[in-house]
Amino acid sequence: MQKIVPNLWFNGNAAEAGEFYAAAFPGATAEVTGRYPDEGLPEFQRALAGEPVTVAVVIEGFRLTLINAGGEFAPNPAVSFMLNFDPLQLGDEQTARDRLDAVWAALADGGTVLMPLDEYPYSPRYGWLQDRYGVSWQLLLADPSGGPRPFVVPQLLFSGPAQNRAKEAIDFYTSVFGDAAPGFFAPYPEQTGPAAPGSAMFSDFTLEGQTFAAMDSGVEQDFTFGVGNSFEVRCADQAEIDRLWESLSAVPQAEQCGWLVDRFGLSWQIVPADMDVLLRKPGAYQRMLEMKKLVIADF
């Protein structure tokens, strides 16, 4: 089971977005996995009574959770999803190009192009866009000689207060998680906008068997990590929840309902692996709202 699940914040339209992604990606699925209680909600959530609270989207075996909430937060390009279209896995280069172009067209409908779909030094076909819901995707025609890579790779863009801290973050995350390791690292050779020489032009690493990428922005950005993009970690027991909470939490005022913010501004949700089951207990949702770190025994 996927241990670290990216979560994306939606403004009341997560179910609609799930259908959009299921249609955009061949073979993808979307399923409502939880609903708000019909009663007992705080004032700011009462309009959502009985509505979906989470929608699971599965793309090529990779799970994303869409959070159905209000307009307080939204995704931004500080976290994007790199999609690797591999000619070897898809049969040949033309098939991979055609698949890439079709997914690009679907995601771009109603969205915003951040980097046009074109040839670049690092790929014969690449583009970066924000879809109609503000979620960022990077589509890449992969180089088969580089070895197999997952189709979906979350990428962290370190900018603003997190600028030039990608290498520090990789070292930190790979020390916190048990099954973790740094991978490829390509430094900026010289000052590039706000990116310092030696900072991460591109890098990757693994956490719990999952591949992530990270880079320091070479352009001044008006965004950084926020609650609209978070990473849910499904923990085996209370001891694992306690350990990760203690290691990651750096902003006490951000702690709420299993959410925390780390030293780089990235949001995490540290939850029990059977969270869906726990929330089915009578009154469990209301008890969760009173917690900061989640305590399994208190559900």
Side-chain angles (χ1 to χ4, degrees):
M1 178 181 290
Q2 184 178 331
K3 188 175 181 69
I4 303 176
V5 180
N7 278 221
L8 302 164
W9 191 286
F10 287 80
N11 185 11
N13 55 3
E16 172 193 300
E19 294 176 1
F20 173 77
Y21 296 129
F25 293 93
T29 61
E31 177 186 6
V32 174
T33 51
R35 291 186 177 273
Y36 286 95
D38 291 320
E39 55 187 27
L41 290 171
E43 179 65 32
F44 73 96
Q45 289 184 334
R46 285 178 186 168
L48 293 166
E51 293 295 315
V53 62
T54 51
V55 177
V57 174
V58 179
I59 302 168
E60 298 286 343
F62 186 89
R63 178 175 174 136
L64 299 166
T65 294
L66 315 186
I67 300 172
N68 196 50
E72 302 91 341
F73 307 107
N76 71 49
V79 176
S80 62
F81 299 95
M82 184 171 290
L83 305 176
N84 293 289
F85 294 82
D86 189 336
L88 282 183
Q89 294 181 0
L90 293 172
D92 56 55
E93 182 171 323
Q94 189 57 53
T95 301
R97 282 177 175 266
D98 292 345
R99 179 71 63 84
L100 186 159
D101 289 354
V103 172
W104 174 273
L107 293 175
D109 183 14
T112 303
V113 173
L114 303 179
M115 291 181 67
L117 190 58
D118 206 343
E119 181 175 351
Y120 292 88
Y122 43 84
S123 175
R125 195 146 187 80
Y126 166 86
W128 190 344
L129 61 80
Q130 269 186 293
D131 67 31
R132 64 179 68 176
Y133 301 103
V135 180
S136 295
W137 306 87
Q138 299 184 57
L139 283 67
L140 177 83
L141 184 64
D143 179 1
S145 66
R149 290 177 65 80
F151 178 61
V152 183
V153 176
Q155 175 157 303
L156 310 179
L157 181 65
F158 287 75
S159 61
Q163 181 70 48
N164 297 325
R165 300 185 71 187
K167 178 61 166 62
E168 176 191 351
I170 292 170
D171 291 343
F172 174 65
Y173 296 144
T174 54
S175 73
V176 167
F177 288 88
D179 178 12
F184 177 78
F185 186 88
Y188 282 99
E190 57 188 24
Q191 189 75 36
T192 305
S199 62
M201 184 164 61
F202 180 82
S203 59
D204 61 18
F205 58 103
T206 59
L207 301 177
E208 302 296 345
Q210 298 172 220
T211 302
F212 295 78
M215 62 183 293
D216 290 298
S217 180
V219 178
E220 292 286 355
Q221 306 289 0
D222 60 0
F223 56 81
T224 189
F225 300 124
V227 179
N229 304 92
S230 63
F231 289 91
E232 174 190 341
V233 185
R234 300 181 169 196
C235 300
D237 51 31
Q238 189 65 48
E240 185 175 21
I241 291 174
D242 294 347
R243 183 182 66 79
L244 289 176
W245 189 270
E246 179 66 25
S247 298
L248 289 170
S249 184
V251 185
Q253 61 270 29
E255 297 176 352
Q256 183 69 37
C257 305
W259 292 66
L260 62 82
V261 174
D262 71 20
R263 64 181 70 174
F264 307 101
L266 191 63
S267 292
W268 299 82
Q269 298 175 59
I270 310 302
V271 305
D274 61 348
M275 186 71 171
D276 293 346
V277 175
L278 291 172
L279 285 175
R280 294 191 196 113
K281 293 184 176 182
Y285 186 83
Q286 289 76 14
R287 289 192 291 274
M288 180 190 70
L289 291 178
E290 299 173 358
M291 300 184 200
K292 291 187 175 182
K293 179 180 70 176
L294 297 185
V295 178
I296 295 172
D298 290 347
F299 277 89

